[in-house]
């Protein structure tokens, strides 16, 4: 299924005359997006893999034996996206998927030496600059952002199911 595009917005303001407040918020979004993009480019340049893969590697390193479902929850991404990410890391010999313990259906993920070497040269934060910055904000600020971003998402008319799509390309 092709990605959904935001619905066209009807506005009493023309594109040539944005409200000053809207322009200021747009500038703030540009700063955020550019910071995220700059970080992901640095990650890919230094490691040869995307930011989501680096984050997954760091989680697997820190939680040896984690399963795909738990990894998806930690990264707050869809399990099918996580499965694709894990598959790519296995193909690159950066992680191993083992079936240990009493439930042979469950897969436990473990980092391999190639994954450890990659993390040593990867820029931090592994989760990305935006999640790291959000985690530094107090609860009241996060609640306001959540409410306000909800209004923006509604105004854009985007599919809320896309909220678990990583910012970093896999």
């Amino acid at each position: 299924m092709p990605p959904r595009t935001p619905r066209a917005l009807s506005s009493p303001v023309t594109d040539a005359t944005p409200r000053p407040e809207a322009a200021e918020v747009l500038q703030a979004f540009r700063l955020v997006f550019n910071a995220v993009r700059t970080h992901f480019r640095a990650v890919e340049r230094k490691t040869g893999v995307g930011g989501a893969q680096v984050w997954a590697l760091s989680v697997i390193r820190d939680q040896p034996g984690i399963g795909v479902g738990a990894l998806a929850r930690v990264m707050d991404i869809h399990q099918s996206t996580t499965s694709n990410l894990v598959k790519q890391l296995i193909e690159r010999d950066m992680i191993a998927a083992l079936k240990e313990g009493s439930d042979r259906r469950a897969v436990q993920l473990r980092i391999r030496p190639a994954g450890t070497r990659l993390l040593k040269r990867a820029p931090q934060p592994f989760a990305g600059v935006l999640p790291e910055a959000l985690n530094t904000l107090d609860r009241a600020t996060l609640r306001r952002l959540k409410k306000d971003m909800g209004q923006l998402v509604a105004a854009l008319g985007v599919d809320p199911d896309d909220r678990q799509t990583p910012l970093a390309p896999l």
Side-chain angles (χ1 to χ4, degrees), residues 88-149:
Q88 292 170 359
L89 292 171
I90 290 169
E91 289 171 356
R92 295 182 80 149
D93 199 34
M94 293 189 188
I95 63 170
L98 310 167
K99 293 184 178 182
E100 302 171 328
S102 59
D103 186 355
R104 295 290 190 188
R105 295 169 297 169
V107 172
Q108 292 85 40
L109 304 172
R110 299 206 185 276
I111 196 161
R112 302 209 13 95
T116 301
R117 286 190 301 274
L118 183 138
L119 285 178
K120 286 180 181 175
R121 66 180 187 268
Q124 293 210 22
F126 294 137
V129 293
L130 185 56
E132 183 81 7
L134 289 170
N135 278 324
T136 68
L137 301 177
D138 62 85
R139 287 179 187 243
T141 300
L142 288 171
R143 282 193 294 273
R144 283 191 315 271
L145 274 171
K146 178 182 174 187
K147 179 180 177 250
D148 294 343
M149 292 299 288

Side-chain angles (χ1 to χ4, degrees), residues 10-98:
S10 60
S11 170
V13 178
T14 67
D15 289 344
T17 59
R19 295 188 318 223
E21 298 85 359
E24 291 170 5
V25 172
L26 178 60
Q27 290 170 359
F29 271 108
R30 287 178 182 150
L31 292 171
V32 170
F33 294 149
N34 286 331
V36 169
R37 185 175 38 230
T38 298
H39 177 73
F40 287 144
R41 283 182 181 159
V43 167
E44 194 157 355
R45 188 175 55 252
K46 290 186 178 194
T47 66
V49 300
Q53 291 174 319
V54 170
W55 185 10
L57 279 172
S58 73
V59 172
I60 295 164
R61 180 202 58 200
D62 295 344
Q63 299 181 39
I66 191 170
V68 175
L71 179 61
R73 285 188 295 279
V74 168
M75 296 180 69
D76 193 28
I77 58 176
H78 197 275
Q79 188 159 346
S80 63
T81 303
T82 309
S83 294
N84 290 333
L85 193 151
V86 164
K87 181 181 174 191
Q88 292 170 359
L89 292 171
I90 290 169
E91 289 171 356
R92 295 182 80 149
D93 199 34
M94 293 189 188
I95 63 170
L98 310 167

